[in-house]
Amino acid sequence: MITKASLEDIPALTTLINSAYRGETSKKGWTTEAHLLDGKRTNEQEITEIFLDPKNTILKFTGYDTIIGSVLLVQKEKQLYLGMLTVSPELQNSGIGKKLLAEAENHAKMLGLSSIIMTVISVREELIEWYKRHGYVDTGERETFPESEIHITISDVPMEFIFLEKRL
C-alpha cells in the first residue's frame, strides 16, 4: 500500500534508504551505489529537513507491516522532482519501484505539473536504462557530482548527474 510518509517514519525511512544504496546490504539489490560511494546515503537530520519543507512529499510503500519502498517528490514550478526512489534490496525486481513511479506520476498530475525530472549518477547505466523503459528521456543537462560527508566517492570513474525527464 502506498501512502504519504510522516515524521514518525523518519527512522524507518533512513534505515531503508541507507540499506538500499550503500553498504553490504545494498549489494543484495541491483540499485546499489556501494561500489561508487562510501558512507551513508542520508541521515535522520536530512529526512527531517525534507519533511519540514511543504513542497516536499515522501511516499512510502508498506508491506509486511514495514516500509519496504519510498520516494521523495519535490514540487518545483511546473515540474515534480523525483529523488531517492528506494526499494528494499531483498524485494527489488518485484514491481514496487514501478508502482512508486506510477504514484509519483499521479501526484504530479494532481498538482497540475507537466513533467517529472530527476538526476541519476552518470555511471549508473542499468538504472538509467530502467528509467528510460518507463518513459524518461535524457535532457542533455549535466551537473557536477557533489563531494560531501554523505557523498564520499570511492570510485576512480568520473561521475556527474544526468537529468532525466518524463512529460505527462
Side-chain angles (χ1 to χ4, degrees):
M1 176 168 68
I2 299 174
T3 57
K4 190 174 175 180
S6 65
L7 289 169
E8 299 88 53
D9 296 318
I10 291 173
L13 288 167
T14 304
T15 299
L16 172 68
I17 293 165
N18 285 326
S19 76
Y21 283 93
R22 309 274 168 80
E24 285 303 310
T25 57
S26 71
K27 294 176 183 177
K28 295 176 185 175
W30 67 274
T31 62
T32 183
E33 295 174 346
H35 60 295
L36 301 171
L37 300 162
D38 200 9
K40 297 191 178 298
R41 172 61 181 83
T42 191
N43 56 45
E44 289 191 14
Q45 179 181 343
E46 181 185 32
I47 301 292
T48 301
E49 289 170 9
I50 288 169
F51 273 106
L52 296 178
D53 186 335
K55 292 183 179 180
N56 298 337
T57 299
I58 296 180
L59 298 179
K60 63 180 179 177
F61 191 108
T62 306
Y64 313 107
D65 294 324
T66 189
I67 299 173
I68 56 176
S70 63
V71 64
L72 167 63
L73 306 174
V74 180
Q75 185 177 351
K76 303 271 184 188
E77 291 178 22
K78 293 183 180 178
Q79 298 174 312
L80 185 72
Y81 177 82
L82 185 147
M84 289 195 286
L85 178 62
T86 306
V87 176
S88 176
E90 297 85 5
L91 298 170
Q92 291 178 9
N93 288 326
S94 66
I96 294 169
K98 291 177 194 173
K99 290 175 183 172
L100 285 164
L101 269 186
E103 194 57 37
E105 291 176 22
N106 291 338
H107 187 78
K109 289 174 186 174
M110 183 187 73
L111 294 171
L113 303 175
S114 60
S115 67
I116 297 178
I117 58 166
M118 70 177 71
T119 55
V120 181
I121 300 172
S122 56
V123 297
R124 306 283 315 279
E125 294 172 14
E126 188 177 9
L127 186 59
I128 292 166
E129 289 305 313
W130 186 82
Y131 283 118
K132 286 181 175 180
R133 287 193 303 273
H134 290 89
Y136 288 82
V137 296
D138 185 343
T139 67
E141 187 178 349
R142 301 293 185 263
E143 185 176 281
T144 303
F145 188 81
E147 283 282 339
S148 71
E149 58 189 46
I150 290 180
H151 299 297
I152 303 167
T153 304
I154 58 172
S155 170
D156 293 334
V157 179
M159 295 186 292
E160 62 185 351
F161 279 127
I162 291 177
F163 284 75
L164 301 177
E165 179 178 22
K166 181 174 184 176
R167 296 203 179 274
L168 305 173

